[in-house]
Structure formats: structure tokens, C-alpha cells
């Protein structure tokens, strides 16, 4: 479940949490959300959303921690620790998911799903730090974004999902695609069909295909 800013208890939206300038409060809210979510049988949450957002036209600004990479990184680490604690298998802890990796908040013109064109220097200075902080805090999972990054959809980007995330940062968890993003590789025009999309995504570093069934339908035959 998303569990973006609370589960039964509804806390201020993440943007408002960021406005408190208090990562400890962010962590406490995550602790309560984890306790309530696990009581309902939920052990994995699609949060925190760590997209740095500087275009108020983007409709998902409310779900992130604002425009500053330093504050975003502090809140990222606090949220991960709040959700997972020292042992995410504890009965009142959940596995967190850092999303949407990476640069999703840069969608051109503030239009959701749109393309992202940005230099790697800006990515490393502004948009990657919160995700790096989440990885350093031990986040269990990372969600790859829908968007294309400098012409390559993130779900097919070995640069982002393997070279930076795993090889450079040492991420040991698993990557889940955003909703239907693997099959959307066909709509991006980089995959010919579902089998091609599955091959591109798994080779890039996507471990779990959310919703589209491209992995379930094609990976076994592709391996054979």
C-alpha cells in the first residue's frame, strides 16, 4: 500500500512535513504509520516519495519533501528509519520503498509522465541525493519511475538502476517498477512487444514488474 502520510492516523502531507524543518518528526510519523499499517497486515509501503520538485505545476508536489536536496535527504533517511527501524521483520515495522527513482519531479512543463532532460551534474547535485540518503539508511526497495531520462525510459536504464544504484551506491535491495512501467516501454517506443520490454527491464535492473505481467508472461520463455 502507498501509506504516504499515515495509515489510520492522517499526518500532514509530506510537503507540509518538510516545512516543519524537523526530520525527527518525519521519522516519528513514519513509525506510527508503520505500526498502524502492520496492524492491518501491510508489510511493504510505497513510500517515501523522494522526488525533488521545483515546478509547482507538477501535480505530485504534495507527496514529496520539497525543493531542497539537503532537507530532502535528511527527511529521506528519517522516514526510512521510522518505517523500517533496525529490523524491518519486527511486527510493527515495514519495508519502505524510495520512489520515484530518479528525476521524476523534473517532468517537462509539470506534466506527469512527461520526459526529463537534465545534465548528470544537476542530477547528482539535486535529484539523486535523497535516494542516496535512503540507500545509506538501508531502504529495502526502490521504485523506478515512469518517465524517460535523457531519452531512455528509467525502466530500461542500466545507468540508473545498475551502474549508479547498485554498483556505485551498493544498494542490496530490490527494484520494483512503477505501475505498468515495464509494458509502457512499448509506448515509449524502445520495446517492440511485451517480451522485448521484459528483457530490457530485467537487464537494466528491474527486479519486480508491477501490474503489467510482462515478467510473468515472458521471462521464463526468454530464459529458455
Amino acid at each position: 500500500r502507498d501509506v504516504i502520510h499515515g495509515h489510520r492516523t492522517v499526518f500532514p502531507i509530506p510537503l507540509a512535513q518538510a516545512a516543519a524543518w524537523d526530520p525527527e518528526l518525519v521519522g516519528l510519523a513514519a513509525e506510527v504509520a508503520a505500526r498502524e499499517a502492520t496492524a492491518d497486515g501491510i508489510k511493504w509501503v510505497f513510500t517515501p516519495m523522494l522526488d525533488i520538485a521545483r515546478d509547482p505545476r507538477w501535480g505530485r508536489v504534495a507527496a514529496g519533501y520539497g525543493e531542497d536536496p539537503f532537507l530532502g535527504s535528511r527527511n529521506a533517511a528519517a522516514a526510512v528509519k521510522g518505517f523500517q527501524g533496525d529490523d524491518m521483520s519486527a511486527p510493527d515495522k515495514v519495508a519502505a520503498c524510495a520512489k520515484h527513482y530518479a528525476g521524476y519531479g523534473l517532468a517537462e512543463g509539470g506534466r506527469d509522465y512527461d520526459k526529463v532532460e537534465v545534465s548528470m551534474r544537476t542530477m547528482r547535485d539535486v535529484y539523486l541525493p535523497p535516494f542516496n540518503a535512503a540507500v545509506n539508511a538501508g531502504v529495502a526497495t526502490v521504485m523506478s519511475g515512469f518517465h524517460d531520462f535523457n531519452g531512455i525510459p528509467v525502466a530500461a536504464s542500466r545507468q540508473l538502476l545498475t551502474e549508479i544504484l547498485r554498483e556505485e551506491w551498493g544498494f542490496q535491495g530490490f527494484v520494483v517498477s512503477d505501475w505498468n512501467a515495464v509494458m509502457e516501454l512499448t509506448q515509449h517506443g524502445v520495446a517492440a512487444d511485451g517480451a522485448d520490454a521484459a528483457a530490457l527491464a530485467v537487464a537494466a535492473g528491474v527486479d519486480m514488474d508491477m501490474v503489467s505481467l510482462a515478467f510473468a508472461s515472458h521471462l521464463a520463455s526468454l530464459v529458455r
Side-chain angles (χ1 to χ4, degrees), residues 54-123:
R54 295 179 169 180
D55 188 340
R57 296 173 297 180
W58 189 47
R60 305 188 74 170
V61 171
Y65 294 125
E67 63 186 358
D68 182 76
F70 177 75
L71 180 62
S73 297
R74 291 287 304 278
N75 286 335
V80 169
K81 289 296 187 183
F83 281 116
Q84 297 186 171
D86 295 323
D87 177 9
M88 75 183 80
S89 70
D92 61 344
K93 295 299 180 184
V94 296
C97 184
K99 66 180 188 184
H100 310 82
Y101 182 79
Y104 188 43
L106 268 168
E108 189 172 89
R111 295 184 294 269
D112 207 21
Y113 285 63
D114 213 335
K115 65 182 180 180
V116 168
E117 297 278 351
V118 62
S119 71
M120 277 308 297
R121 175 178 176 175
T122 299
M123 277 290 284

Side-chain angles (χ1 to χ4, degrees), residues 120-216:
M120 277 308 297
R121 175 178 176 175
T122 299
M123 277 290 284
R124 287 185 177 277
D125 283 352
V126 179
Y127 297 94
L128 288 179
F131 291 96
N132 185 225
V135 170
N136 289 339
V139 72
T141 68
V142 169
M143 184 185 296
S144 61
F146 290 117
H147 58 295
D148 82 70
F149 169 68
N150 292 341
I152 301 175
V154 173
S157 175
R158 183 171 176 82
Q159 179 189 27
L160 286 177
L161 298 178
T162 296
E163 293 173 9
I164 294 177
L165 182 63
R166 294 192 183 281
E167 295 175 357
E168 185 178 326
W169 294 353
F171 177 63
Q172 297 295 309
F174 74 87
V175 173
V176 58
S177 76
D178 207 340
W179 186 279
N180 203 45
V182 174
M183 275 302 295
E184 285 176 10
L185 293 177
T186 61
Q187 292 163 279
H188 279 289
V190 301
D193 51 27
D196 195 18
L200 285 171
V202 79
V206 175
D207 300 302
M208 180 177 176
D209 167 22
M210 192 200 301
V211 174
S212 84
L213 298 180
F215 281 12

